C-alpha cells in the first residue's frame, strides 16, 4: 500500500474524531512513514511496517479522550435526585 492510500484510509476511519485530532494523527503517521523511508525501506515496506490503517485507527480511537469519556457522559446525564418535581 502506498503512503497516500494509507493516510487517506486512516483519515476516513478516524472520521468521528474532531478535525484537529484527525489532522494530527495523519501528520504523525505521515512523518513516521517518511522516517522509515529515510531508514532505507521502500514506501510500501514503510507502510507495511506500521500496520493496517484499520489497526492504527482502532488504537487511536481506543485511546481517544472523546471515546473514553462518552460512557461517563451518558451515565451522568440521567442522574435522578429526590429534588425532581413533576408539574402535571
Amino acid at each position: 500500500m502506498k503512503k497516500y492510500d494509507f493516510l487517506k484510509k486512516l483519515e476516513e476511519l478516524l472520521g468521528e474524531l474532531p478535525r484537529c485530532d484527525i489532522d494530527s494523527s495523519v501528520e504523525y503517521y505521515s512523518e513516521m512513514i517518511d522516517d522509515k523511508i529515510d531508514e532505507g525501506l521502500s514506501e510500501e515496506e514503510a507502510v507495511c511496517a506500521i500496520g493496517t490503517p484499520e489497526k492504527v485507527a482502532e488504537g487511536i480511537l481506543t485511546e481517544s479522550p472523546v471515546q473514553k469519556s462518552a460512557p461517563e457522559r451518558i451515565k451522568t446525564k440521567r442522574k435522578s435526585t429526590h429534588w425532581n418535581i413533576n408539574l402535571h
Side-chain angles (χ1 to χ4, degrees):
M1 175 179 272
K2 295 282 193 178
K3 175 182 170 181
Y4 174 83
D5 298 325
F6 175 91
L7 296 174
K8 205 65 175 150
K9 182 67 175 176
L10 180 61
E11 182 178 6
E12 175 186 314
L13 293 168
L14 297 177
E16 64 190 63
L17 294 178
R19 175 49 52 195
C20 63
D21 292 343
I22 295 171
D23 291 345
S24 177
S25 294
V26 169
E27 183 179 336
Y28 174 80
Y29 283 95
S30 176
E31 290 175 9
M32 186 182 290
I33 292 168
D34 290 341
D35 289 345
K36 292 192 176 300
I37 292 170
D38 290 344
E39 293 170 4
L41 296 179
S42 70
E43 183 177 351
E44 290 83 4
E45 291 170 329
V47 170
C48 187
I50 290 173
T52 66
E54 292 81 9
K55 280 288 189 188
V56 171
E58 181 182 329
I60 294 169
L61 292 172
T62 300
E63 294 300 315
S64 169
V66 172
Q67 296 292 60
K68 285 184 176 178
S69 63
E72 293 168 10
R73 285 196 316 263
I74 292 168
K75 284 181 187 175
T76 58
K77 226 178 192 183
R78 305 211 87 212
K79 257 188 185 171
S80 181
T81 66
H82 65 280
W83 296 104
N84 289 345
I85 299 172
N86 192 355
L87 300 175
H88 285 286

